[in-house]
Amino acid sequence: MKIKKILPILIALISINAIAQDGPFIRKKKEQIKTLKVAFITNELSLTPDEAAKFWPLYNAFEDKQQEIRKQKLKGYLDRMDDDSFDKLSDKDAATILSQMESTEDELYQLKKKFTASLKGVISPVKILKLKKAEENFNRKLLQQYRDRKLGK
């Protein structure tokens, strides 16, 4: 499987795990990451003040809604998978969970499409593509920093 397909799933799982353990330390780290992400994206897109004033409310609303969907739906699926009864799951129940997961992924996809459409009136198509690249680069750097810390580099 390509890294581009695995990375969003990995990030979703990590963020869901962080939400589940949301203590003061985690909240502080999430705020630090968000601050770094805002600075990184702002720099990468070279937003004008007018663009930034219109862009960030849209982006933050998108991020919040995306996080809400992941927290409400995907966490429920993962909780069922972590349960001891997971090994006893019937094919019918597994098919139902898979269908629900696909529906959630579709909901996230539709949210992304709507977000992209709303950005077209705020920033240029080139900057929209740069945004997607900047998000991937930021996530890659974040993951690399995490790996480096885990390995003690």
Side-chain angles (χ1 to χ4, degrees):
M1 198 181 266
K2 291 184 178 181
I3 190 75
K4 288 184 179 180
K5 291 182 180 180
I6 294 173
L7 190 60
I9 294 168
L10 181 63
I11 291 170
L13 293 175
I14 290 169
S15 64
I16 288 170
N17 187 34
I19 291 167
Q21 303 171 3
D22 214 4
F25 177 75
I26 297 295
R27 279 191 294 272
K28 183 178 177 185
K29 284 292 181 191
K30 285 180 7 182
E31 285 300 316
Q32 288 175 337
I33 290 169
K34 186 173 182 172
T35 300
L36 291 171
K37 186 176 183 180
V38 167
F40 187 83
I41 289 172
T42 300
N43 184 53
E44 292 295 306
L45 297 184
S46 302
L47 295 173
T48 67
D50 186 48
E51 288 173 331
K54 294 175 185 174
F55 171 81
W56 286 112
L58 290 174
Y59 188 84
N60 291 333
F62 165 72
E63 287 277 298
D64 291 346
K65 182 65 177 172
Q66 186 172 262
Q67 190 66 26
E68 179 185 320
I69 291 169
R70 285 187 178 132
K71 184 176 181 180
Q72 287 178 351
K73 297 183 179 181
L74 292 179
K75 185 177 181 328
Y77 310 141
L78 292 174
D79 286 347
R80 282 187 262 171
M81 285 188 223
D82 288 342
D83 195 18
D84 292 334
S85 65
F86 180 69
D87 291 331
K88 299 173 188 169
L89 197 62
S90 71
D91 283 346
K92 182 181 178 184
D93 290 339
T96 300
I97 292 171
L98 283 173
S99 177
Q100 291 170 338
M101 290 175 81
E102 289 170 353
S103 175
T104 299
E105 290 298 326
D106 186 52
E107 189 176 345
L108 287 166
Y109 174 72
Q110 293 303 323
L111 179 66
K112 288 177 188 176
K113 278 180 64 173
K114 184 179 174 184
F115 173 63
T116 301
S118 67
L119 284 180
K120 288 179 181 176
V122 175
I123 58 177
S124 72
V126 170
K127 285 187 179 183
I128 293 172
L129 291 175
K130 284 183 178 182
L131 169 64
K132 295 191 181 299
K133 186 174 187 255
E135 288 176 318
E136 285 181 22
N137 288 342
F138 180 81
N139 290 336
R140 191 175 300 117
K141 286 182 180 188
L142 191 63
L143 190 57
Q144 187 60 48
Q145 286 179 357
Y146 175 75
R147 286 183 187 145
D148 290 348
R149 280 198 198 132
K150 272 287 212 212
L151 297 173
K153 288 184 179 179

